[in-house]
Every structure is written in structure tokens, then in C-alpha cells.
Amino acid sequence: MSNQVTERPGQKRQPTRRAAPQRTARKSAPQRTARKSTPQRTARKSTPQRTVRNRPKQATRRSRKKPTRRRVALGKIFGRTFVRRLVTSVAVAVFIGLVLMAFLRVRNISVVGNSMYSREEIQEASGISEGSALLLVNKTTAASRIRAQLPYIDEVRVGIGLPDTVKIEVVELETTFAVAADDGSFWLINSGGRLIERITGKDAGDYLKIEGVRIESGETGDQAKAVEEPEAPAPEKEENEEEEETEEEEAEERPPEASAAERLDAALQIVRQLAEEDDIRSITSVDVSSIYDLQIWYGTRFQVKLGGTSELSYKLEYMVAALAQLDSYQSGVLDLTFQEAKKATFIPWSS
């Protein structure tokens, strides 16, 4: 049998539908193959650390360059006008100074307060001469020269008076004191301990004498330096043991003796205060042989015992007041050691 279909007459032929072609499934994309993992890099072998030698600090330090300072002109900081005015002012001042030095000359030198030295001696010692520039006079140097060359001048003041005067005021020593030197001579010193003049032992009797200390023989104007006395030889021991024990106990109770410098300072303190009190003319000697038994002698009339250096200023004031109350016929010992309630004791000498 044939598969043909017979068409009827008058029947339209219907078109036959073709079967739509079946869509074929898309080919699945080929899966990407995972990349092969790259082999991990092996860590480098650690290099052995270098041993650092201990080098000295100076070798390891690197020299640092000092920062360079920029120089800035004054004109940029203050302005050119200011700098010009400053330079002009300085130039004018220098010019005026030169003019004054040229015209201001020393024409008059006055000296006041001198009695032992003449005006010419003081002027020559100062080094100031007439005609020298007034503004160039060195007052300090002139005063030092006068005191060094003229020992009896204690104080000096040098002043300048315009337009042409130099004024020199001096204060001369009124009182000096004699003290023995280590070479057998005597020196006159002032209350400050300055060497004034070398004298003989015979002339030393005309001055207040400081006893119990000696000084080094030096040059005029030097400061007095006390000399330590050689120690006296120890006495021979006696056989009696009781007396030896007594002497040892007394030596233990006795305070240590002061040095020669301390004794000289005590003597200068005494004469300095008495000179201020104006009660020194009748004093013949000050004995500082022992710093714990200071004594003052008014000739053969009074002996004053001061004891130690404690309250020395008060004791000297007390002494001046006590002696002023005594009559002219009285003489004796004035005890100011203040062993009993700070009271002075006067013990008259038996006639």
C-alpha cells in the first residue's frame, strides 16, 4: 500500500506543516581546567648575621656638618635708614671724642689733705703731668701709684673737673704701731697690717708697741705676715709622780694656743678700735703673747686684762668708759675678764 493520500474533488489542499526541528541542546562549554598550582617558592636560606666588632665611639660617630649660618645684612633686619643713622651717630661720637681729647688738657693739679708729703711729691707719684689728655687720666692707676710710693698715705681719691683740673684727695696715717721683725729690726705698720717703714729698736720706743708676735721682714707696702715662734724645749720631768699627774691634768684643761696669725689679728683689732675711740695716744703696748690673756698697758699707770677674744669690742668700750671715771692719781689693774657677772674690777696698786 502506498502512503499517498487521495484528494477529494473540491477539497482544498491543506499545507502540511513541517515539524520544527528540535533544538539541540547547546554544547556545554568545556570546563576550564584549574591551573596547576605554581610550586611555592622556597624561602631563601637566611644568611648568617655578620658579627659587628665593638669599635670605639669616636670611630663609629660620623662627623656632622655644622649648619651654616646665613649672614643677614643689617639693612634687611632694621632697614637701611636705621643702619645709616647708626653709622652716622658712631662717626659723630668718635669725632667729638677726638676733638675733646685734643682740646681738654690737664692744666691744674690740686692736692688736698697732705701734711707729710708735698704737692710735688704726690703729683710725681701719681704719674699725672700737666698737658696730658684729661679724658685719658686713669684715676684707679694714679691712686694705686700714690699708695705704693708714699706709705704714710692711707687713702687716695682722684677726680676730674672740667675743663682742665685734676683733684687729688689724700688721707695720711695718723697712728702707726711698732712690731718686731724676724731679722731683729722693727717695722711700723698701720691698723690694716700694711708695712710702712723699717725702724730701729731705739725708735720703736716712740710708738705703740705690739708685743707677743713677730712678723716677716718685707718691703714697704707689703701685708704683714706673722712668724710662728719655735717651740720651747719641754722641761725635764721630775721624779715625783704626783706633780707629773698634776701637770698633765693642767695641760689637758688648758685650751690649745692660737697661731701667730691669730694673735696678730687680735692685736690689729684692738689698735683699730682704740684708734676709732681716739684713746690710743697714752697706750704704750698691746701684749698678745697669749690669745687667752690679752693685756693693754697705759705706761706704768694702768694694766688692763682683757682675757680672751670673746666680746672683745664690748670689753674695749667698757675699758674706755671705766678709765674715764678714774681720778688722775689712781693707778692699778683693770680686770675685764668678766669672770663674775660681766663686771669690771679695779685693783689699785699699793703705794
Side-chain angles (χ1 to χ4, degrees):
M1 292 177 61
S2 62
N3 292 332
Q4 293 181 354
V5 180
T6 61
E7 294 181 358
R8 294 178 180 177
Q11 187 179 4
K12 295 181 180 179
R13 186 180 179 181
Q14 294 181 356
T16 58
R17 296 180 180 177
R18 294 181 181 180
Q22 294 181 355
R23 295 181 179 178
T24 60
R26 295 181 178 178
K27 294 181 179 180
S28 62
Q31 295 181 356
R32 295 180 179 178
T33 58
R35 295 182 180 178
K36 295 181 180 181
S37 59
T38 56
Q40 295 181 356
R41 296 179 180 178
T42 58
R44 295 181 180 178
K45 295 181 180 180
S46 60
T47 57
Q49 295 181 355
R50 297 180 180 178
T51 57
V52 180
R53 296 180 180 178
N54 293 330
R55 297 179 179 179
K57 294 183 179 180
Q58 294 181 353
T60 56
R61 290 181 181 175
R62 295 180 180 178
S63 60
R64 298 180 180 179
K65 294 182 179 180
K66 296 182 179 179
T68 57
R69 297 181 179 177
R70 295 181 179 179
R71 295 182 178 178
V72 182
L74 292 176
K76 293 182 179 180
I77 300 176
F78 300 103
R80 294 182 179 179
T81 305
F82 173 79
V83 175
R84 290 175 182 173
R85 291 179 179 176
L86 179 61
V87 173
T88 304
S89 301
V90 173
V92 171
V94 172
F95 177 75
I96 294 174
L98 293 175
V99 171
L100 291 177
M101 284 192 296
F103 288 96
L104 295 180
R105 296 288 177 176
V106 178
R107 293 181 175 84
N108 183 23
I109 300 176
S110 64
V111 179
V112 180
N114 60 313
S115 60
M116 300 182 64
Y117 300 103
S118 64
R119 173 184 174 278
E120 289 74 16
E121 289 176 329
I122 296 175
Q123 177 182 344
E124 183 180 357
S126 67
I128 303 173
S129 59
E130 295 183 0
S132 58
L134 184 65
L135 298 180
L136 295 181
V137 173
N138 193 324
K139 297 180 287 186
T140 304
T141 303
S144 300
R145 288 169 57 93
I146 293 172
R147 293 188 70 237
Q149 298 183 27
L150 307 178
Y152 282 95
I153 291 181
D154 191 22
E155 298 178 6
V156 184
R157 283 176 290 183
V158 180
I160 295 175
L162 296 177
D164 57 359
T165 302
V166 174
K167 186 176 182 180
I168 302 175
E169 297 181 7
V170 298
V171 177
E172 296 178 343
L173 293 172
E174 296 182 358
T175 55
T176 53
F177 320 102
V179 59
D182 55 356
D183 60 354
S185 63
F186 281 81
W187 272 92
L188 294 178
I189 64 174
N190 64 355
S191 58
R194 183 162 59 97
L195 301 183
I196 305 301
E197 184 181 358
R198 187 197 299 268
I199 58 175
T200 62
K202 182 179 179 181
D203 295 333
D206 299 333
Y207 298 90
L208 187 156
K209 189 181 296 184
I210 296 176
E211 297 179 346
V213 66
R214 293 192 305 163
I215 62 173
E216 293 181 2
S217 182
E219 299 293 335
T220 301
D222 293 345
Q223 193 69 19
K225 296 180 181 179
V227 178
E228 295 292 343
E229 298 290 341
E231 295 183 0
E236 297 180 359
K237 295 183 179 180
E238 298 180 0
E239 296 180 358
N240 193 346
E241 295 181 357
E242 294 181 358
E243 292 182 359
E244 290 180 1
E245 292 178 358
T246 304
E247 291 178 359
E248 291 178 358
E249 292 177 357
E250 291 179 354
E252 292 178 357
E253 295 177 356
R254 189 184 309 157
E257 189 57 49
S259 62
E262 292 175 340
R263 299 199 305 273
L264 179 61
D265 290 340
L268 294 177
Q269 181 180 353
I270 291 172
V271 296
R272 189 183 304 117
Q273 183 168 345
L274 292 178
E276 293 176 357
E277 298 285 344
D278 198 17
D279 190 67
I280 202 169
R281 296 179 181 178
S282 55
I283 297 177
T284 56
S285 65
V286 174
D287 191 353
V288 291
S289 300
S290 174
I291 199 71
Y292 307 105
D293 187 20
L294 303 176
Q295 298 183 15
I296 299 176
W297 286 84
Y298 284 78
T300 57
R301 185 182 177 192
F302 296 120
Q303 178 189 7
V304 181
K305 295 183 177 182
L306 298 174
T309 57
S310 61
E311 299 180 324
L312 186 57
S313 298
Y314 174 72
K315 292 177 181 178
L316 294 174
E317 293 177 359
Y318 201 135
M319 178 194 72
V320 174
L323 293 178
Q325 296 177 3
L326 297 176
D327 295 329
S328 58
Y329 64 89
Q330 289 180 303
S331 61
V333 179
L334 180 63
D335 190 352
L336 293 173
T337 56
F338 293 151
Q339 295 181 356
E340 297 179 1
K342 289 188 178 182
K343 290 183 178 180
T345 302
F346 181 72
I347 305 172
W349 281 325
S350 58
S351 56

